[in-house]
Amino acid sequence: DAGVIQSPRHEVTEMGQEVTLRCKPISGHDYLFWYRQTMMRGLELLIYFNNNVPIDDSGMPEDRFSAKMPNASFSTLKIQPSEPRDSAVYFCASSFGPGINSPLHFGNGTRLTVT
Amino acid sequence: RKEVEQDPGPFNVPEGATVAFNCTYSNSASQSFFWYRQDCRKEPKLLMSVYSSGNEDGRFTAQLNRASQYISLLIRDSKLSDSATYLCVVNFGNEKLTFGTGTRLTIIP
């Protein structure tokens, strides 16, 4: 099993540019989570999906952030326009069930730097 | 007050020693508890779940104290490979997991 695959691994962009992060969950996992990690705030849940349907997006910081899951094997997190404070590591994770019942499997993360 | 609080450390511990750290949570209705481990510049991975009666996995022991609202992780006979950040994770009765900011542990040869 290839695990959760994220791309790109690193992204450096200028303020105001659009950024798209991609995630391929583990096949058969019904839940997909997007997290953001910074030194100050740790891991924060942005949004999660169950069977491709967004369930809770209350962690999305503002309208500049959007996420989609068009099918069971692909999800995107988009930031438009990006700002320097968006710089962080963004993780995608998937699981068979809710994280309370089955472990989260994280991808390698995308390290985003906005200058 | 944060929902899940951890001492950020760092804890610098000699190889072979025993080390323990705690994590406090804010909501008494919390249902599930976990420890995840994160190596430097890597993704978090589940280390162990924490059960009400306490549980052990090799050199690792996890305990839950509901009355005082904290969980603990004890590592015996620490190895160099135990150096990592340990994340306390709590479920507050929904489908989401809330992560603490982590405790950094360094095992010194």
Side-chain angles (χ1 to χ4, degrees):
Chain A
D1 193 334
V4 176
I5 300 173
Q6 290 187 247
S7 64
R9 289 295 304 275
H10 302 273
E11 177 80 34
V12 180
T13 190
E14 291 184 347
M15 183 174 65
Q17 297 298 306
E18 177 180 297
V19 175
T20 299
L21 311 180
R22 297 173 176 80
C23 175
K24 177 179 167 54
I26 293 173
S27 177
H29 281 190
D30 293 332
Y31 284 78
L32 184 140
F33 303 81
W34 281 102
Y35 283 88
R36 176 173 69 177
Q37 187 174 38
T38 61
M39 287 291 291
M40 289 298 296
R41 301 171 70 92
L43 266 169
E44 300 174 283
L45 178 64
L46 301 177
I47 184 172
Y48 78 96
F49 296 82
N50 179 15
N51 291 318
N52 313 338
V53 176
I55 302 301
D56 187 337
D57 65 355
S58 60
M60 297 285 259
E62 46 198 273
D63 292 345
R64 297 185 297 106
F65 285 68
S66 62
K68 294 181 180 179
M69 191 164 186
N71 57 61
S73 59
F74 184 64
S75 177
T76 60
L77 178 68
K78 186 175 293 187
I79 308 172
Q80 166 62 18
S82 57
E83 296 182 3
R85 61 193 167 122
D86 301 331
S87 298
V89 180
Y90 290 81
F91 286 104
C92 173
S94 69
S95 63
F96 277 117
I100 59 174
N101 295 325
S102 55
L104 298 183
H105 295 261
F106 285 82
N108 291 328
T110 294
R111 186 172 296 274
L112 173 65
T113 303
V114 183
T115 60
Chain B
R1 183 187 171 190
K2 292 181 182 177
E3 292 181 296
V4 179
E5 291 206 62
Q6 294 183 252
D7 181 344
F11 285 60
N12 298 315
V13 174
E15 192 176 5
T18 296
V19 59
F21 25 83
N22 291 342
C23 160
T24 58
Y25 57 93
S26 61
N27 188 340
S28 60
S30 303
Q31 295 187 357
S32 306
F33 308 86
F34 310 88
W35 284 102
Y36 275 68
R37 170 196 168 126
Q38 185 172 23
D39 293 312
C40 187
R41 302 182 83 83
K42 298 285 189 180
E43 73 276 17
K45 293 182 180 180
L46 177 66
L47 177 65
M48 59 194 303
S49 302
V50 185
Y51 302 122
S52 296
S53 55
N55 49 296
E56 195 173 295
D57 182 1
R59 297 181 294 107
F60 297 81
T61 301
Q63 291 194 312
L64 167 64
N65 185 318
R66 285 192 182 272
S68 300
Q69 293 182 206
Y70 75 85
I71 66 173
S72 63
L73 179 66
L74 178 87
I75 306 174
R76 288 182 302 278
D77 187 23
S78 53
K79 312 290 185 190
L80 296 177
S81 57
D82 295 334
S83 297
T85 296
Y86 291 84
L87 303 167
C88 171
V89 186
V90 179
N91 165 256
F92 291 107
N94 50 32
E95 291 185 323
K96 301 188 291 187
L97 296 180
T98 300
F99 285 74
T101 51
T103 296
R104 203 168 98 214
L105 173 66
T106 300
I107 306 301
I108 303 166

